[in-house]
Amino acid sequence: RISMSSSTVLVTGAGGSIGSELARQVFELDPAKLVLLDRAEGALYDIDRELELRSRRDSGTSVRDGRVRPQLVHRLANVASMHIMRRVLEEERPAMVLHAAAYKHVPMMEAHPDDAVAELLLRVSTFSVPVKVLVGLLRINVPAPSLAIPPATTVAPRSGL
């Protein structure tokens, strides 16, 4: 198990519904640094501001219950770009990546299952190569599609997920 108090955690898709909830939960575990990454400027700004305000509301300081609150870093980037992700990973050096950048509108993806699966595989492979090779991260977590997509849908059986 990774000790959060001295670790950097990167959440991709941090502005989305799943990514922002992951960011909120990780924030409460007080990692040394929480890196919020998304390609949507507005959504990234919203979660960054929410967590910044929550940090200040705790006590008006950067400490809560004797624990230092996480340093928040926001990165406007697209995980599909290996060049950009390589730079982000080299600069931030996360111990854990929670990879939530993905399609999540199931009815739309059911109508286009081949595109949904291709996009998922492209993003995971583009992102995973620099993570494993360049940074040597301790852990990469990709929320299981089965948690968000009921098995009876066309996406899960076709993709083999």
Side-chain angles (χ1 to χ4, degrees):
R1 185 167 189 204
I2 297 172
S3 169
M4 289 284 180
S5 63
S6 61
S7 298
T8 295
V9 178
L10 168 64
V11 178
T12 69
S17 57
I18 294 172
S20 62
E21 184 57 31
L22 286 171
R24 288 181 195 99
Q25 291 183 27
V26 169
F27 181 81
E28 292 305 318
L29 297 173
D30 296 325
K33 185 189 322 183
L34 176 56
V35 181
L36 307 170
L37 186 140
D38 205 295
R39 68 179 181 175
E41 174 199 8
L44 182 60
Y45 177 82
D46 289 345
I47 188 64
D48 182 61
R49 294 302 307 145
E50 176 187 331
L51 296 178
E52 183 65 38
L53 291 172
R54 183 180 296 182
S55 181
R56 288 187 193 152
R57 185 176 61 232
D58 285 340
S59 64
T61 69
S62 62
V63 177
R64 177 185 66 156
D65 298 330
R67 295 188 318 248
V68 176
R69 298 302 283 170
Q71 173 191 358
L72 288 172
V73 175
H74 56 270
R75 301 295 297 250
L76 188 62
N78 186 340
V79 296
S81 170
M82 188 177 288
H83 170 73
I84 291 171
M85 288 310 301
R86 179 178 288 138
R87 187 180 74 231
V88 168
L89 293 168
E90 287 174 347
E91 290 173 2
E92 301 300 343
R93 309 284 303 169
M96 178 186 290
V97 175
L98 299 172
H99 183 41
Y103 287 137
K104 294 174 190 80
H105 296 92
V106 175
M108 181 70 73
M109 296 303 96
E110 286 177 331
H112 307 281
D114 294 337
D115 293 327
V117 172
E119 179 71 11
L120 173 67
L121 294 175
L122 169 70
R123 288 187 186 274
V124 170
S125 65
T126 300
F127 182 64
S128 297
V129 170
V131 169
K132 291 177 184 173
V133 174
L134 297 175
V135 183
L137 291 177
L138 298 174
R139 177 180 279 164
I140 302 169
N141 289 324
V142 179
S146 60
L147 297 176
I149 303 171
T153 68
T154 58
V155 175
R158 245 194 197 179
S159 66
L161 299 175

